[in-house]
Amino acid sequence: NADQDCNGDCFGDAFVDDCGVCSEGNTDHEANSDIDDCGVCFGDGTSCLPEILSLGAATDSSLEVLYSSSEAIGGFQFAVSGVNVLGASGGAAEDAGFTISSGVVVIGFSFEGNVIPAGEGLLTSLDIEVTDFEGCISDIVVSSPDGQGIAFEAGDCVALPCSDADSDQVCDNVDDCVGEYDDCGICNGGNADQDCNGDCFGDAFVDDCGVCSEG
C-alpha cells in the first residue's frame, strides 16, 4: 500500500504535515499548515510575542497602557512620568479581575489568583492629570502566575496634550509650534515678515529718507 496517501486513497495527494495531521494538498503544499507563526503546532501566535509595556492613546484626562506578552501575567507594577495617576480601569486587567492601586507606582494583581492570558492589547486605562508634555513608562516589574519575574521592556514615550490652556503646566505641544505664532502666522517669527506698513509679506519699505514707501 505504498501508493496510498494518509487518507487511504491510491495515488492521492494528502500528506501528514509536521503536526501529524493528514492534510489535503499536492507536493508543493505547505507542510506546516497547522503550525502558527511561532512554530507551535495548533498555536495561536502568542508564544513569539515580545514582552513590552507601552503607552498608547492619550487625552488630557486618560492614558492607555498597552501590553504584549508571550506568557500569562500574574501581577504587574510600573511608573509613568509626565502625569499624576488618579486611578485605573478597563482592559485585560479588569477582565481578569485584577485589583489596581494607583499613585507614584501603579500596581495590579488578583486576590483570587487570576491571570492575564498571554496576548497583546489594552492592559488598563489610567485616569490622569497631565504635568508635562511627554509621558514615559518605567520601573516595570511583571511576574508570572507562579511569582517568577518576566523581563519586560518599556515602549517609547508619548506626547501628552495640555489639560488646561490657562494652567501653569509645562505643556507646549497643543499644536505644531513650540512657542508662539506671530501676527503673520509664523512660528516664533517675531513679525519679521511684516513690511513697514505692518502688512504681512507686503512690499512697502523704508527709503533713504526714512519714509515708508510702497514698492
Side-chain angles (χ1 to χ4, degrees):
N1 297 327
D3 294 307
Q4 286 182 319
D5 65 12
C6 57
N7 280 328
D9 298 325
C10 291
F11 311 108
D13 59 4
F15 64 96
V16 178
D17 68 15
D18 291 348
C19 293
V21 176
C22 185
S23 301
E24 296 291 336
N26 50 43
T27 55
D28 60 2
H29 185 281
E30 184 181 358
N32 297 333
S33 57
D34 294 297
I35 297 179
D36 69 8
D37 292 338
C38 303
V40 177
C41 286
F42 315 113
D44 58 5
T46 60
S47 62
C48 57
L49 289 173
E51 274 66 39
I52 298 174
L53 283 191
S54 59
L55 300 179
T59 72
D60 60 4
S61 60
S62 67
L63 178 61
E64 291 181 340
V65 179
L66 310 177
Y67 78 102
S68 169
S69 179
S70 64
E71 300 183 50
I73 296 173
F76 61 81
Q77 71 177 54
F78 57 84
V80 181
S81 62
V83 301
N84 291 326
V85 180
L86 308 178
S89 61
E94 182 172 295
D95 292 342
F98 273 37
T99 296
I100 303 178
S101 61
S102 60
V104 176
V105 176
V106 178
I107 300 174
F109 62 95
S110 169
F111 287 108
E112 292 78 25
N114 299 336
V115 302
I116 297 171
E120 58 185 343
L122 177 66
L123 179 66
T124 190
S125 183
L126 305 178
D127 299 322
I128 61 170
E129 177 183 71
V130 177
T131 60
D132 206 338
F133 56 84
E134 184 178 66
C136 303
I137 193 167
S138 63
D139 301 328
I140 299 171
V141 178
V142 179
S143 63
S144 65
D146 59 1
Q148 300 299 309
I150 306 174
F152 265 68
E153 295 184 0
D156 295 336
C157 298
V158 299
L160 298 172
C162 292
S163 62
D164 185 352
D166 297 325
S167 74
D168 58 359
Q169 294 174 359
V170 181
C171 192
D172 193 18
N173 68 329
V174 293
D175 51 37
D176 292 334
C177 180
V178 179
E180 295 182 356
Y181 288 100
D182 66 12
D183 294 336
C184 296
I186 304 299
C187 181
N188 299 319
N191 294 328
D193 293 299
Q194 287 180 324
D195 65 12
C196 55
N197 281 326
D199 297 326
C200 290
F201 314 109
D203 56 4
F205 65 96
V206 177
D207 63 19
D208 293 343
C209 295
V211 177
C212 185
S213 303
E214 296 292 335

